[in-house]
Amino acid sequence: MAEVIVVTSGKGGVGKTTTSAAFATGLAQRNKKTVVIDFDVGLRNLDLIMGVERRVVFDIVNVIQGEARLNQALIRDKRVDTLSILPASQTRDKDALTKEGVQQIIEELSKEFDYILCDSPAGIEKGALLALYFADQAIVVTNPEVSSVRDSDRILGVLQSKSKRAEDKREKVKEHLLVTRYDPGRVERGEMLKLDDIQEILAIPLLGVIPESESVLRASNTGMPVILDPESTAGQAYKDTVGRFLGENLPHRFLDPAKKGGLFKRLFGGRTA
Amino acid sequence: MTQQSLPETFRLRASNFNLLVLRLLDPRPDAVLPSLSDQFRRAPGFLRFAPIVVGLSDLVAAPEEVDFRGLIEGLHALEIVPVGTTGGSPAMRQAAQAAGLPPLRTSGGKDEDGPVEQARPQAQAQVQPVAVAAAPAPAAPVVDFRGTGRAAMLVTDPVRAGQRIYAEGADMVVTTTVNPGAEVLADGNIHVYGALRGRAIAGAQGDTSARVFALNFDPELIAIAGYYAVRDGLGHAPIGKPVQTRLEGEEMRFEKLG
């Protein structure tokens, strides 16, 4: 049986898709058979971040509506061969998704894969609810700012009341906190929430902290998951995050303002790569 | 001042009624009924077919000494309709219930003719589904305490943004935090053994003696029995400290604990 992981946040623009792409790639690099599903029907992005947009023929809605077989819609990644992508439809809306359809897809994928990552759309409406409904574990992506923390808190409540595990009264969905776009310098200046403040509110185990990094935008625009960029601090942090998820005991890095740039770089607004 | 729910043909709605309470001073129907009938003869029609509640607090007698069936029959004969009981010991209320008089709860959560401290927890253990004075239809999940012998709802998970938890007819004890955007309501007191950062509404049915306790007092809104203060109005309160909030008259007091 595959483990179903939802990447969710409530709020938009915090890095769910970036995280889904990086995390799925990271798991696949560890030889785990991994598939990542884009649930953002109508606003699909995952295929772009993964750099497979030119290879999309069928999508999740085609599969649900019986217009294509699952194997026809799955796109195998060219860089990591244990990784597959199931894209969302760009031309439909979330109403095209049904619980039964999603269940069928997840059951079928379960036979073949170790991990099924569900990249949730923002909000707490149908798309987001379906993305988290079948989850065994949840990665809650949060930015160090109050509105993001509030929305993450909301989605944690939804996870514990509206997921299938909650409805079946089984063991609850395992929650992981992933703080993204963390800028230690701005935290130090009081412009961003401290890690402790976020953890105090959300009260779930911390899986990782991804530093704010220009390499993320560059990676997105070139369709290469940032975890494949060995120079990037964000990519390294995602690698650590995947390791921790698989049970390794790794310290959190990139929590302090970068010092190696020296006084000069800091004075002139140097940023981490 | 008793609240009661009446079944409509298809819907159940909570409603408030003013009811007369017949406070029994003597357990013997044959002693009570004649004087009652005497009094009503002087005011004919005054109580004709009127529903009344039998008050048990003043009764100095063992439950088995009270002939509830005889009393009910006698009252019916006088064209008075007993609908339930208020106050009294649990055993007394049980005896009355066996005869067809269920215990009612007053809207403030306390019995008007009974000692408050005793009546509240006992009422919880004794309340029967039909007899409970219904609260205004709660939009929040309600936990059933009947049979647990407890009059407090225990919440051990963080109360998260968008969640709303209501301890109907009971206190609420939250062992973790109430986050911003969350709401906790209780008919009794609210205790938060973490940070209270959301909304807390105690005495939700009008109990002005209800209080809110929080180890880290940092609420968005706090209300007791309909009196409320929003965060902007808490300028003088010790924010971030262990605090109890209570009503003194119409004024809300914030007092540091410990």
Side-chain angles (χ1 to χ4, degrees):
Chain A
M1 270 305 279
E3 195 77 0
V4 181
I5 307 164
V6 61
V7 178
T8 187
S9 69
K11 192 170 158 58
V14 296
K16 282 183 297 297
T17 301
T18 299
T19 297
S20 298
F23 203 81
T25 307
L27 285 172
Q29 282 179 318
R30 303 290 195 107
N31 263 330
K32 308 288 181 196
K33 297 188 77 180
T34 307
V35 58
V36 54
I37 309 176
D38 189 350
F39 273 84
D40 208 346
V41 174
L43 291 167
R44 75 169 205 227
N45 285 151
L46 182 70
D47 52 326
L48 289 170
I49 309 282
M50 298 288 297
V52 298
E53 74 277 13
R54 296 187 185 167
R55 299 166 58 201
V56 174
V57 183
F58 296 111
D59 55 54
I60 185 170
V61 174
N62 295 132
V63 177
I64 284 177
Q65 299 188 339
E67 297 153 3
R69 279 177 293 114
L70 188 54
N71 272 333
Q72 293 176 297
L74 282 178
I75 303 169
R76 204 163 284 266
D77 192 85
K78 284 184 172 166
R79 295 157 296 213
V80 189
D81 61 3
T82 45
L83 177 62
S84 296
I85 299 117
L86 180 58
S89 172
Q90 183 70 330
T91 51
R92 314 292 184 89
D93 60 35
K94 265 92 182 161
D95 291 333
L97 294 175
T98 63
K99 202 175 264 183
E100 296 71 29
V102 173
Q103 179 162 18
Q104 251 176 21
I105 288 177
I106 286 183
E107 277 171 7
E108 210 174 323
L109 291 172
S110 277
K111 295 175 199 153
E112 197 185 330
F113 291 94
D114 300 320
Y115 289 103
I116 302 172
L117 246 79
C118 303
D119 179 20
S120 171
I124 49 170
E125 280 77 43
K126 192 172 180 187
L129 291 180
L130 277 176
L132 65 80
Y133 186 71
F134 296 99
D136 302 307
Q137 305 199 38
I139 296 176
V140 177
V141 182
T142 305
N143 287 170
E145 50 137 340
V146 281
S147 58
S148 175
V149 172
R150 166 89 55 106
D151 291 358
S152 292
D153 196 40
R154 181 83 167 92
I155 209 79
L156 282 166
V158 173
L159 268 168
Q160 298 315 345
S161 61
K162 300 231 170 103
S163 62
K164 188 159 195 311
R165 275 176 177 267
E167 281 181 6
D168 295 350
K169 303 220 181 324
R170 279 187 294 154
E171 195 187 333
K172 64 181 203 170
V173 177
K174 192 173 176 195
E175 302 148 333
H176 307 274
L177 173 63
L178 183 70
V179 177
T180 56
R181 310 198 68 166
Y182 192 76
D183 186 334
R186 296 189 68 185
V187 172
E188 205 166 62
R189 293 196 293 276
E191 297 167 9
M192 270 187 178
L193 283 183
K194 286 201 286 284
L195 203 51
D196 288 350
D197 296 342
I198 302 172
Q199 279 182 277
E200 200 193 328
I201 296 265
L202 296 181
I204 58 171
L206 180 68
L207 183 64
V209 180
I210 311 299
E212 173 80 23
S213 163
E214 288 175 353
S215 58
V216 171
L217 185 61
R218 193 167 61 233
S220 298
N221 285 334
T222 53
M224 187 184 78
V226 71
I227 199 169
L228 294 174
D229 178 354
E231 301 292 308
S232 159
T233 52
Q236 294 167 41
Y238 272 119
K239 264 206 157 74
D240 289 357
T241 301
V242 172
R244 266 181 229 114
F245 183 83
L246 295 175
E248 289 164 25
N249 190 8
L250 300 168
H252 292 280
R253 296 192 277 166
F254 317 114
L255 297 185
D256 299 313
K259 295 239 160 59
K260 59 183 177 209
L263 180 66
F264 205 70
K265 197 173 174 192
R266 269 190 285 156
L267 275 178
F268 293 98
R271 293 199 181 136
T272 52
Chain B
M1 278 291 289
T2 299
Q3 210 181 43
Q4 188 196 10
S5 66
L6 290 180
E8 294 176 358
T9 321
F10 287 107
R11 284 175 290 177
L12 204 58
R13 287 279 184 274
S15 217
N16 292 312
F17 297 97
N18 274 311
L19 293 177
L20 282 176
V21 176
L22 176 71
R23 296 169 79 148
L24 286 186
L25 304 175
D26 193 316
R28 296 162 302 160
D30 27 340
V32 176
L33 291 168
S35 48
L36 199 60
S37 113
D38 222 43
Q39 185 161 355
F40 292 151
R41 207 164 319 145
R42 272 177 265 143
F46 172 57
L47 268 186
R48 210 159 168 236
F49 299 120
I52 63 147
V53 177
V54 180
L56 301 174
S57 309
D58 301 326
L59 209 49
V60 189
E64 58 273 13
E65 286 178 69
V66 189
D67 179 10
F68 281 110
R69 285 177 210 284
L71 180 71
I72 294 169
E73 267 175 41
L75 288 172
H76 280 151
L78 292 172
E79 297 181 330
I80 298 170
V81 188
V83 294
T85 64
T86 179
S89 68
M92 187 69 88
R93 283 194 294 254
Q94 216 145 36
Q97 175 137 28
L101 282 183
L104 301 181
R105 202 180 54 197
T106 52
S107 49
K110 52 191 161 188
D111 286 298
E112 225 156 54
D113 55 353
V116 177
E117 265 64 45
Q118 256 183 352
R120 203 193 290 166
Q122 285 170 357
Q124 283 314 304
Q126 288 298 314
V127 174
Q128 296 297 316
V130 196
V132 175
V142 172
V143 170
D144 193 342
F145 297 98
R146 273 172 283 120
T148 66
R150 262 199 328 225
M153 173 196 265
L154 185 62
V155 178
T156 53
D157 286 330
V159 187
R160 301 193 178 280
Q163 286 181 333
R164 191 160 181 261
I165 302 181
Y166 178 30
E168 189 187 16
D171 285 2
M172 182 186 296
V173 178
V174 182
T175 58
T176 55
T177 61
V178 178
N179 281 347
E183 191 170 296
V184 286
L185 300 96
D187 288 347
N189 306 308
I190 296 175
H191 306 253
V192 181
Y193 296 104
L196 170 58
R197 299 203 173 91
R199 299 163 152 246
I201 292 148
Q205 289 204 50
D207 182 358
T208 52
S209 69
R211 298 183 181 195
V212 179
F213 307 85
L215 270 195
N216 180 348
F217 182 76
D218 190 9
E220 292 175 330
L221 174 145
I222 195 150
I224 295 172
Y227 296 93
Y228 68 94
V230 291
R231 180 51 190 268
D232 276 354
L234 295 181
H236 57 295
I239 298 295
K241 299 282 187 301
V243 168
Q244 71 159 323
T245 308
R246 61 184 180 87
L247 273 185
E248 202 175 276
E250 299 198 339
E251 204 174 327
M252 210 177 264
R253 299 268 177 189
F254 307 98
E255 292 161 355
K256 256 168 94 170
L257 288 168

